[in-house]
């Protein structure tokens, strides 16, 4: 079977490959298990879909251009080759800036994993996060073949079939927990979280800590999560009280140098955190001294995850139940932000000269970006969880017009051109030989849409930025212009936005009616050139009605789950197209109106995600039943689907809806995702 | 966008390139925000790179369109500064009245501009955050910075007066170097419009690019190159600047 050939790590597999694997998987799925619990007539559905899906995306010709069959969108998954053409390493010199050589070097980055290759890596003894990330979640072939029967699950339909795995998180089901969770899924893997709010499997927190009152306390605290902890030195501050406030935070991110100097802390000032920094540094260096590398531990109901990157230690302390892998990805993003500010050579240089360097000074001004990232993780972020982008849904032909407009107005020094509306990607122009990395786009989106500073400033911006996925050694220059999506005021920035609206970054106004034009160049002198391109671009987009298209697409917003599958029990879902490195989700309304609702939803997604991505969990379909929700994760080589239904939904209904979602996605794929894009 | 409405009257209009320089957090972006939007933000985030804004201001006889580069004060962006002041006809060098180091930094910028920028560049030295100093009440709004400053000068640091740099210190330095001089508050708005008006008045008409061309196309290497030939060494420029200051 094709998938037998697929190695556990498919770092450099190309699309052709994954297509093959996909068909393999689908035929396999036919034999062994769709998400429908035990109904034979349901079994074929997803399998057939999966295959069709594979074929359709394989067949979908990259719009325009005689290109190979690679996924056309720049952003790449971490587990798929990020090289556009492996032969394209040298000779990319059309940009004559001093940075030109950096461009060509960038293509040598194979994946995010490459970027984190630092002198101090995670323990060789244990599974490193790097290898974890570059491993396809499906794992080796037996993932598809394994049949695990379900026993004793409270609400399970008896006939549960192949490769369906469930767990219960409710205290009421406590008696079943042991048998359900004892083996395979989590227990046998060293790399797995030992503490997880929603799954509550082993270690860490005691079951009774998860009872309702505890939940409520967490809820209460969450609303205070983003309140500032006052400075110790401020007058009238009772340090005891501050420390209590500090400890009450659900999530901390700390960054320190290996010499123990604080670099960044999401909460609390230097004085407040100094003792914690000291303790953490002591613990880490104790292990380091023994040539061991501490990756994480649990204490006081929190999970501590530690990442060592060159001269830096990054620490996440979370009570929100993410897995180590997920927390490490968050730390990785913070590290990328630091690189993005400084570049790797500068960072290394600072510490090579003086190991006791205080990094706060060179990083000044970056705290807001780090905090914006940290807070998006704390609120829960689907793009971060999935390492994928969300696009603005529109007709293929309409997007084509926009792509062509981008290409037509392209100026010589343009490297990447992006149009982003309502926080979602509309179009991307890029050189054929360079892709855009999801981790880089995460930084850019964070800077522009999460941290409000740039947008609030009004006007146009010229921002030196290192995109580490592209090239961690040098800067690019990013022209940013926010354009109100109405023809009349097309060139004026939208100044009336208050960035307080961030609490609901999606539906609410902050990014609502603006279109961001991002033009990236390697030439720091190209501002006026890019600005001129912006003017032409907007002009043409106005003329060919694309601004109108974009505006109505924004206004339409995300469809509700019931718009996608009428009458569905699904309250929310995430669908990730792996090949496109993009995801789709319906609106949070009406079921998840508040920040807390969404945090809980995202926590559930994290649990599902951790479940199907756990090492040795060769799962294709994964059910989770908790007090508040029945949910399902379904992973194939082509997509990942995570769906959540209400607590009383039957798994059958959920599975059927999941199938319908897949059908819908298949039908709408070319509208929901950017397939092709503008390549030059 | 506030006052731009009446600016569309059919007066001759010309564009002026202006760059803001100064230590981080002295209030450069806040001054621009006040000038452009007549707004103030209590916790403004640091500028990353630079922001480019335009704003028209109406003088009695003509309309000036400012093309403003609001640069980031963080050290690490300093190397990009030449790109922003290279073709500027005017500069606002800003310091924070409550922070002595910021005046030192401002002096560095003035020296760099005098060495490297267009010879005729009009420079205004601006001490910001006047609202944090004593005697910065509402009535001060009407007064030119200097007069008001003279009163506050001898008093040193009274209650709630965070002033660390006297008006005299700023002004005498400005006079030595031939700079326009203002003390402003982006927060209260005091003197903000005045700074820009004074700059507009201080720039000789010959140095301005007339009307649309500069405004719309203000772009492209072509324009920049053209501007190079515009560089006129006006020895009188500084003298005029002083006059403007006394407005
Ligand atoms: N009280 C007072 N605060 C001010 C004034 N101007 C600016 N601030 C505050 O000072 C801080 C820094 O202001 P910014 O305008 O961001 O300073 P900046 O010079 O642009 O800083 P960089 O972009 O980092 O170079 C913000 O918190 C402002 O709210 C002022 O006139 N009075
Ligand atoms: Mg600023």
């Amino acid at each position: 079977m094709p998938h037998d050939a697929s190695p556990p790590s498919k770092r450099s597999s190309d699309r052709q490959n994954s297509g093959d694997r996909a068909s393999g998987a689908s035929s396999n799925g036919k034999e062994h298990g769709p998400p429908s619990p035990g109904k034979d007539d349901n079994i074929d559905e997803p399998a057939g879909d999966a295959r069709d899906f594979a074929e359709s995306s394989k067949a979908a010709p990259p719009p325009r251009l005689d290109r190979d069959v690679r996924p056309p969108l720049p952003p790449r998954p971490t587990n798929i080759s990020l090289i556009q053409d492996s032969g394209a390493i040298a000779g990319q010199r059309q940009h004559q800036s001093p940075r030109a050589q950096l461009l060509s070097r960038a293509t040598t980055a194979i994946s995010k994993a490459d970027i984190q290759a630092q002198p101090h890596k995670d323990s060789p003894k244990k599974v490193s996060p790097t290898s974890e990330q570059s491993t396809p979640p499906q794992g080796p072939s037996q993932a598809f073949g394994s049949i695990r029967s379900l026993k004793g699950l409270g609400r399970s339909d008896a006939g549960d079939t192949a490769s369906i795995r469930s767990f219960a998180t409710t205290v009421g089901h406590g008696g079943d927990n042991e048998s359900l969770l004892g083996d395979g899924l989590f227990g046998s893997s060293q790399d797995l979280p030992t503490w997880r709010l929603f799954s509550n499997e082993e270690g860490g927190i005691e079951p009774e800590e998860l009872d309702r009152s505890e939940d409520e306390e967490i809820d209460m605290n969450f609303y205070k999560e983003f309140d500032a902890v006052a400075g110790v030195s401020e007058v009238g501050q009772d340090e005891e009280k501050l420390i209590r406030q500090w400890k009450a935070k659900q999530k901390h991110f700390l960054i320190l140098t290996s010499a123990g100097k604080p670099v960044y802390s999401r909460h609390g000032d230097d004085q407040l955190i100094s003792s914690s920094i000291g303790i953490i540094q002591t613990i880490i260096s104790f292990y380091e001294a023994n040539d061991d590398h501490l990756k994480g531990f649990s204490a006081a109901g929190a999970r501590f995850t530690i990442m060592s990157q060159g001269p830096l230690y990054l620490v996440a302390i979370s009570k929100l139940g993410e897995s180590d892998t997920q927390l490490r990805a968050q730390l990785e993003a913070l590290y990328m932000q630091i690189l993005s500010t400084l570049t790797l050579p500068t960072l290394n240089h600072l510490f090579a000269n003086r190991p006791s360097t205080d990094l706060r000074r060179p990083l000044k001004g970056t705290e807001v970006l780090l905090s914006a990232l940290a807070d998006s993780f704390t609120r829960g972020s689907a793009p971060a969880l999935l390492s994928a982008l969300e696009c603005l849904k529109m007709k293929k032909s309409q997007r084509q017009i926009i792509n062509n407009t981008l290409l037509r107005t392209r100026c010589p020094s343009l490297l990447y051109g992006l149009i982003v509306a309502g926080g979602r990607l509309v179009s991307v122009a890029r050189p054929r030989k360079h892709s855009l990395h999801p981790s880089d786009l995460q930084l850019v989106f964070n800077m522009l849409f999460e941290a409000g500073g740039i947008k609030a400033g009004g006007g146009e911006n010229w921002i030196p930025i290192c995109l580490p996925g592209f090239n961690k050694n040098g800067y690019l220059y990013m022209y940013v212009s926010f354009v109100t999506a109405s023809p009349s005021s097309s060139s004026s920035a939208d100044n009336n936005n208050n960035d307080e609206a961030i609490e609901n970054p999606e539906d609410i106004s902050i990014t609502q009616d603006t279109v961001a034009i991002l033009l990236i160049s390697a030439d720091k002198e190209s501002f006026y050139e890019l600005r001129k391109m912006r003017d032409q671009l907007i002009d043409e987009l106005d003329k060919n009605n694309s601004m109108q298209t974009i505006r109505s697409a924004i206004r339409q917003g995300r469809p509700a789950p019931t718009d996608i599958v009428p009458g569905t029990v699904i309250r929310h879902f995430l669908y990730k197209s792996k090949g496109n490195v993009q995801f789709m989700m319906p609106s949070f309304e009406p079921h998840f109106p508040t920040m807390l609702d969404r945090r809980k939803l995202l926590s559930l997604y994290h649990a599902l995600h951790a479940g199907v991505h756990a090492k040795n969990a060769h799962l294709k379909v994964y059910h989770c039943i908790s007090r508040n929700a029945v949910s399902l994760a379904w992973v194939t080589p082509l997509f990942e689907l995570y769906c959540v239904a209400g607590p009383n939904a039957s798994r059958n209904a959920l599975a059927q809806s999941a199938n319908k979602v897949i059908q819908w996605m298949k039908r709408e794929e070319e509208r929901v995702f950017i397939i092709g894009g503008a390549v030059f | 966008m506030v006052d731009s409405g009446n600016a569309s009257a059919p007066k001759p209009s010309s564009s002026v390139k202006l760059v803001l320089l100064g230590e981080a957090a002295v209030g450069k972006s806040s001054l621009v925000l006040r000038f452009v939007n007549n707004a103030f933000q209590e916790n403004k985030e640091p500028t990353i790179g630079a922001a480019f804004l335009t704003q028209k201001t109406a003088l009695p006889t003509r309309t000036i369109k400012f093309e403003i580069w609001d640069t980031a004060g963080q050290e690490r962006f300093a190397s990009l500064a030449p790109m922003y002041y290279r073709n500027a006809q005017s500069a606002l060098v800003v310091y924070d009245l409550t922070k002595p180091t910021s005046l030192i930094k401002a002096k560095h910028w003035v020296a760099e501009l005098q060495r490297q920028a267009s010879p005729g560049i009009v420079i205004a030295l601006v001490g910001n955050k006047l609202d944090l100093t004593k005697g910065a009440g509402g009535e001060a709004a009407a007064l030119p910075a200097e007069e008001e400053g003279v009163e506050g000068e001898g008093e040193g640091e009274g209650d709630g007066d965070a002033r660390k740099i006297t008006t005299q210190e700023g002004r005498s330095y400005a006079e030595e170097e031939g700079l326009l001089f203002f003390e402003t508050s982006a927060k209260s708005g005091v003197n903000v419009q005045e700074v820009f008006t004074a700059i507009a008045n201080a720039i000789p008409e010959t140095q301005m690019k007339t009307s649309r061309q500069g405004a719309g196309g203000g772009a492209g290497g072509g324009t920049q190159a053209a501007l190079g030939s515009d560089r006129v060494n006006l020895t009188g420029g500084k003298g005029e600047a002083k006059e403007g200051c006394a407005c």
Side-chain angles (χ1 to χ4, degrees), chain A residues 364-365, chain B residues 20-34 40-49 70-75 77 94 96 98 127-133 184-190 192:
Chain A
K364 224 154 178 244
Chain B
L20 283 101
L21 297 164
E23 196 178 75
V26 295
K28 298 178 293 297
S29 302
S30 300
L31 286 167
V32 175
L33 187 66
R34 173 62 72 189
F40 179 76
Q41 251 183 305
E42 204 56 63
N43 283 309
K44 193 136 184 52
E45 291 182 14
T47 304
I48 305 172
D70 170 24
T71 67
Q74 307 295 350
E75 246 359 284
F77 297 113
V94 187
D96 178 344
T98 68
N128 188 40
K129 306 199 185 179
L130 187 59
D131 57 287
L132 298 178
T133 69
T184 61
S185 167
K187 185 169 181 174
S188 71
V190 178
V192 176

Side-chain angles (χ1 to χ4, degrees), chain A residues 442-463:
Chain A
Q442 180 182 31
L443 295 180
V444 170
F445 278 44
N446 178 63
M447 176 188 274
L448 300 181
F449 304 115
E450 298 290 328
I454 289 181
K455 188 148 188 300
E460 297 146 63
N461 296 273
W462 188 233
I463 299 169

Side-chain angles (χ1 to χ4, degrees), chain B residues 109-185:
Chain B
W109 280 123
V110 169
E112 181 166 341
L113 286 172
Q114 288 172 339
R115 227 174 30 243
Q116 321 242 37
S118 309
I121 190 169
V122 173
I123 303 172
L125 181 69
V126 174
N128 188 40
K129 306 199 185 179
L130 187 59
D131 57 287
L132 298 178
T133 69
K134 200 170 179 185
E139 86 282 5
L143 298 173
E146 293 168 79
E147 293 173 33
E148 183 239 340
V150 175
E151 293 164 24
E153 202 178 340
E155 295 173 27
E157 294 175 30
D159 299 322
D161 188 354
R163 181 189 281 272
K164 294 281 163 46
I165 298 165
T166 64
T167 304
Q168 187 50 43
E169 187 178 354
R171 187 176 43 199
S172 56
Y173 170 71
E175 274 169 14
E176 272 167 44
E177 300 296 332
L179 319 172
L180 298 167
F181 175 68
F182 285 90
E183 290 187 340
T184 61
S185 167

